[in-house]
């Protein structure tokens, strides 16, 4: 379990990303680890380039999450896990801390970059959350890129589904979860958060996890932005992202203290697990997790990406 | 606008219900008003009977919301509003404050009592939130009563859809929203909350509002339970129910103060409107709203239902 961290890294723009906390050490070979680290660094660079070119915190998290969705290593976009019925159902959310505007989509099957659809929901619809075929109809109206469902399919995730089905048949616990996300602080002091996921391997019955739920896996206000990754049901029950950001905004807790209390205390006390990336308006950050590892990274105003996976790596 | 109220009404069991805050005075004729008041009183009696027979707070809110779903006067279950495509899509959620267990369903079209399916999700699935056809598949496995979609149809709601379409064509603001909900405190000091809705008249694109979102329209913890009714997008953006309950549980605010701050200050400051029913573990209650009226009611341990619609009615 990582210790609370709330260090100040100086002036914005700042960007944190995660690629999931469902990593298990024995699953990783050296090639995969190199690929994951390169993909995290690339996502950080893409977000930073956007910010360096004058983009907002919203632009930075959008660019970073698109890069993570497009990479095959993470459970979002291309590379998403399969549902029980062998399809990919994708969820995403985005929130602008400065205005409390938010957009989210759940259960889409043809949207190449769900975070772009979530942003279109926020900016071009009167709604916050759209689901399923209706959300895809909105995507068509907005000229959001649609792809054949086969685009999301990777051999690795298909094999994971087969393994999960075998485990489920033996009543073993299946905990293949993962997510990607980003939080950013821009030069004007605005915060934003975004999260995207394929959900839980072998999920059934149209399950919606925490990622597309504003307040659970994703939240941002004027003082704090969080993107979570973990066992979504526990993030929903604790309204985890809102709980962390309300501790920072209304209870004046430090970012590290707030993140530790919710992610490493409240959620494990209920039986859940996972991690999060949290950024404060003062530049304080926290990346708590209580799993074996969390794909994560940070980039500051020097434009140098720093990435990590295991608990003993400090970035 | 109502003033904050946090009066103590003595010993549990206690139950509050609402039937929506989208009432407009000129829409109500005397017959409809009598029907609404009788239906609210009946829901209160049903919940109270359950509690008086030894049921939990969960049982009380379930019984009350089933009664409100079955009544044609409210936008939930039979009597739900129509989507843009002329169908009824129903959402519901339930939460147990003592354990933070929760269940929710979104976008179901054949489930007679969505609150019963939300409770089954909480008690008989590993998930918190299920959507669409997948949720209906789970309903079948759980022997939850399904009905022909025509069951939900009422002539009044169909006429409202036609009116909403005409308004939308003229770019007028359409604010037909409504919901039903209940919060209860049982003899063992446990709180629960439940909410059920047909969403927004003329809604499109698979829109999900606040009602089925744990933390937005529905939340309960050990200190507080809330069910909201209003312009859902603003309840999502403020994580309204979690915000109220966190103010009570973690910031030690009085129920009336917490409810007033979120429902009558934060939400209107963003441009939203609506109301809520909130109950504390100490028996304090609040029923704030900033619309013309809110269908609401209270029943205490004397078993006498008290109902109200307009701001000047105290119950």
């Amino acid at each position: 379990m990582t210790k609370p961290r709330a260090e100040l890294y100086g002036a914005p723009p700042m960007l944190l990303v995660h690629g999931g906390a469902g990593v298990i050490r024995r699953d990783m070979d050296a090639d995969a680890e190199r690929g994951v680290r390169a993909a995290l660094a690339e996502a950080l660079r893409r977000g930073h380039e956007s910010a360096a070119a004058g983009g907002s915190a919203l632009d930075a998290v959008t660019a970073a999450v698109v890069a993570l969705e497009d990479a095959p290593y993470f459970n979002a976009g291309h590379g998403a896990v399969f549902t029980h019925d062998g399809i990919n159902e994708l969820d995403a959310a985005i929130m602008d801390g400065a205005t409390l505007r938010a957009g989210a989509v759940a259960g889409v099957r043809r949207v190449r970059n769900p975070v772009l659809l979530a942003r279109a929901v926020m900016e071009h619809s009167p709604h916050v959350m759209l689901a399923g075929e209706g959300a895809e109809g909105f995507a068509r109206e907005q000229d959001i890129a649609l792809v054949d469902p086969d685009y999301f399919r990777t051999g690795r995730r298909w094999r994971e589904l087969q393994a999960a089905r075998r485990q489920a048949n033996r009543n073993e616990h299946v905990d293949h979860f993962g997510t990607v996300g980003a939080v950013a602080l821009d030069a004007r002091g605005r915060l934003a958060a975004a999260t995207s996921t394929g959900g839980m391997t072998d999920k059934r019955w149209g399950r919606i996890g925490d990622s597309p739920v504003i307040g659970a896996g994703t939240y941002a206000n004027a003082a704090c932005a969080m993107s979570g990754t973990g066992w979504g049901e526990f993030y929903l029950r604790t309204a985890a992202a809102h709980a962390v950001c309300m501790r920072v905004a209304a209870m004046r807790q430090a970012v590290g203290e707030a993140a530790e209390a919710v992610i490493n205390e409240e959620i494990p006390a209920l039986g859940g697990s996972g991690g999060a990336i949290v950024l404060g308006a003062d530049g304080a950050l926290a990346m708590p997790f209580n799993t074996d590892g969390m794909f994560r990274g940070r980039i500051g105003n020097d434009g140098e990406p720093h990435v990590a996976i295991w608990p003993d790596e400090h970035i």
Side-chain angles (χ1 to χ4, degrees), chain A residues 206-219:
Chain A
R207 178 251 189 189
I208 296 178
D210 62 313
S211 301
V213 172
I214 299 301
T218 308
Y219 203 76

Side-chain angles (χ1 to χ4, degrees), chain A residues 6 73 76 100 120 138 150 190 197 252 263 299 310 314:
Chain A
Y73 301 101
L100 298 183
F138 179 71
D150 279 348
R190 297 171 299 194
T197 190
R252 308 281 169 163
I263 304 301
I299 195 164
W310 312 116
H314 282 276

Side-chain angles (χ1 to χ4, degrees), chain A residues 15-18 60-62 64-65 68 180-184 192-195 226-227 277:
Chain A
L15 170 68
L16 311 181
V17 299
H18 71 76
V61 297
T62 303
V65 170
L68 295 165
V180 306
V183 292
T195 311
M226 167 171 150
S227 171
I277 52 174

Side-chain angles (χ1 to χ4, degrees), chain A residues 82-166:
Chain A
F82 284 91
T83 69
H84 186 76
D85 297 323
I87 53 177
N88 302 109
E89 285 187 348
L90 310 169
D91 305 330
I94 191 166
M95 186 156 189
D96 176 16
T99 60
L100 298 183
R101 288 185 312 159
V105 294
V108 296
R109 300 178 180 181
R110 297 176 168 275
V111 178
R112 180 188 168 110
N113 290 108
V115 72
L116 295 179
L117 181 56
R119 186 156 175 184
V121 170
M122 177 177 80
E123 295 184 334
H124 304 300
S125 91
H127 301 312
V128 168
M129 188 172 194
L130 304 182
E133 286 179 25
E136 291 182 1
F138 179 71
R140 273 182 212 100
E141 293 186 19
Q142 294 290 315
D143 287 329
I144 298 284
L146 299 179
V147 290
D148 187 277
D150 279 348
Y151 164 79
F152 301 108
R153 181 186 183 111
T154 60
R156 174 181 152 223
R157 297 304 192 189
W158 184 255
R159 290 188 296 276
E160 284 180 359
L161 173 64
Q162 309 314 318
R165 283 176 170 164
R166 286 191 299 272

Side-chain angles (χ1 to χ4, degrees), chain A residues 9-15 44-45 47-49 51-52 185 297-307 315:
Chain A
Y9 283 97
M14 295 182 56
L15 170 68
L44 288 164
R45 277 190 293 265
H48 182 76
E49 280 163 18
L185 174 66
R298 165 181 74 78
I299 195 164
N301 62 358
D302 64 358
E304 190 65 43
H306 303 269
V307 304
I315 53 170

Side-chain angles (χ1 to χ4, degrees), chain A residues 172-186:
Chain A
E172 290 173 17
H173 176 58
V174 176
D175 64 356
H176 288 277
F177 47 76
T179 315
V180 306
V183 292
L185 174 66
D186 67 24

Side-chain angles (χ1 to χ4, degrees), chain A residues 264-291:
Chain A
N264 282 340
E265 292 170 20
E266 284 181 31
I267 286 173
L270 291 171
S273 58
I277 52 174
V278 189
L279 192 55
D282 59 359
L285 66 89
M287 295 177 146
F289 60 97
N290 46 64
T291 50

